[in-house]
DNA sequence: AATGAAATTACGCTGCG
DNA sequence: CGCAGCGTAATTTCATT
């Protein structure tokens, strides 16, 4: 497959913790030169292991305090591509997961308030071939930090 | 609460697209000086709007091709903190979401293969006060890129 | 209070061994 | 992979509105 060694994994780990880490800092951590670390990161990008870098945002602080998952069921003729396209259009949709079995999709949503959430769910239900939804309200979450 | 203006939002958007963008590049985009953009980013970090930066990884390319959500139900006496702690221990657990109602938690998992996934689910079921699980296998996903 | 310009420091990048 | 040199970016300071 792809040959990624332990040093690559350590570099990835360091970048997961802080995606803006400097090469110099990582070089010290893994005991290589700055150039060597840069070459590894470049290579991981070319391999497609690293798909990008991004900022982590506290959406609640931006006034988007509501978070939910909505399970969606579609009529049997609906294709995966169609599901993805429909749902991923809305700005409130964080991620669309297509699922094997039941439900057909799981959509991660963010909204300003409950009213806004209801509006988004209504839009999802209206779009085409949806037969039903079930929404799970998220109270909190914890991602692995280390 | 927090005053975040349109320029801040544009900077956040630029950092969402590429978390390693230079201040110079963003400065040109938003029509401010490099120093002004840096100060805004620093301020957004202090406000807690920006919680960090990270790398986006194609886990399948690292041999973790299996992705799933597992809904978990607990006995009535189980507290939220306990749920978080138990589940977030495992390295296969990406994120633990606590849910209002039924189920009690939704856990985003990654594993190397189906056998590995089953092993992880068994561990979750064993840990303490779990009364039942239902696992949704993820076939694909699409996050909002723009 | 937030900005831009300038100066200093640090880092990114490339070619060569 | 490391080293070295040059260009670019980050960061701090200072002056301005």
């Amino acid at each position: 497959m792809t040959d990624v060694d332990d040093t690559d994994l350590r570099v990835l780990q360091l970048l997961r913790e802080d995606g803006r880490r400097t090469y110099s800092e990582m070089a010290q951590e893994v005991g290589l030169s700055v150039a060597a670390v840069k070459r590894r990161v470049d290579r991981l990008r070319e391999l497609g292991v690293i798909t990008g870098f991004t900022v982590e945002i506290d959406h609640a602080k931006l006034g988007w305090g509501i978070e939910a998952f909505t399970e969606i069921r579609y009529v049997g003729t609906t294709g995966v591509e169609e599901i993805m396209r429909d749902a991923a259009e809305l700005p409130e949709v964080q991620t669309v997961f297509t699922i094997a079995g039941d439900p057909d999709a799981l959509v991660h949503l963010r909204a300003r308030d409950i009213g806004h959430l209801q509006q988004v769910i209504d839009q999802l239900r209206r779009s085409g071939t949806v037969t039903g939804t079930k929404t799970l309200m998220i109270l909190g979450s914890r991602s692995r930090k280390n």
Side-chain angles (χ1 to χ4, degrees), chain A:
Chain A
M1 227 194 285
T2 48
D3 82 307
V4 175
D5 67 16
D6 289 351
T7 305
D8 289 326
L9 293 178
R10 288 185 63 194
V11 169
L12 287 172
Q13 180 60 28
L14 291 167
L15 286 173
R16 278 193 48 176
E17 293 166 9
D18 180 2
R20 279 184 85 92
R21 269 214 168 82
T22 62
Y23 294 123
S24 348
E25 194 182 339
M26 294 186 280
Q28 280 196 317
E29 288 280 349
V30 303
L32 287 178
S33 70
V34 172
V37 173
K38 185 202 180 315
R39 280 189 287 258
R40 279 169 184 269
V41 172
D42 289 345
R43 182 170 146 278
L44 288 168
R45 292 204 70 157
E46 281 164 21
L47 287 172
V49 172
I50 291 177
T51 59
F53 293 90
T54 194
V55 62
E56 295 170 313
I57 294 173
D58 182 344
H59 292 83
K61 291 238 166 85
L62 292 176
W64 290 62
I66 300 290
E67 203 175 349
F69 279 103
T70 297
E71 303 177 352
I72 312 185
R73 288 164 186 78
Y74 295 87
V75 299
T77 55
T78 315
V80 173
E81 277 306 316
E82 196 176 342
I83 292 174
M84 292 281 200
R85 248 188 296 109
D86 283 2
E89 287 299 304
L90 304 173
E92 292 88 355
V93 171
Q94 202 70 16
T95 313
V96 183
F97 298 93
T98 51
I99 301 292
D102 177 59
D104 298 303
L106 191 61
V107 179
H108 185 200
L109 298 174
R110 285 187 207 278
R112 296 183 180 282
D113 52 54
I114 294 287
H116 185 195
L117 177 63
Q118 181 144 18
Q119 187 184 319
V120 174
I121 295 169
D122 282 352
Q123 283 186 269
L124 285 173
R125 296 178 67 90
R126 252 184 255 116
S127 71
T129 57
V130 172
T131 59
T133 64
K134 174 188 173 181
T135 296
L136 313 178
M137 294 284 301
I138 299 172
L139 297 176
S141 65
R142 171 175 298 183
S143 298
R144 77 179 9 268
K145 282 283 186 290
N146 60 327

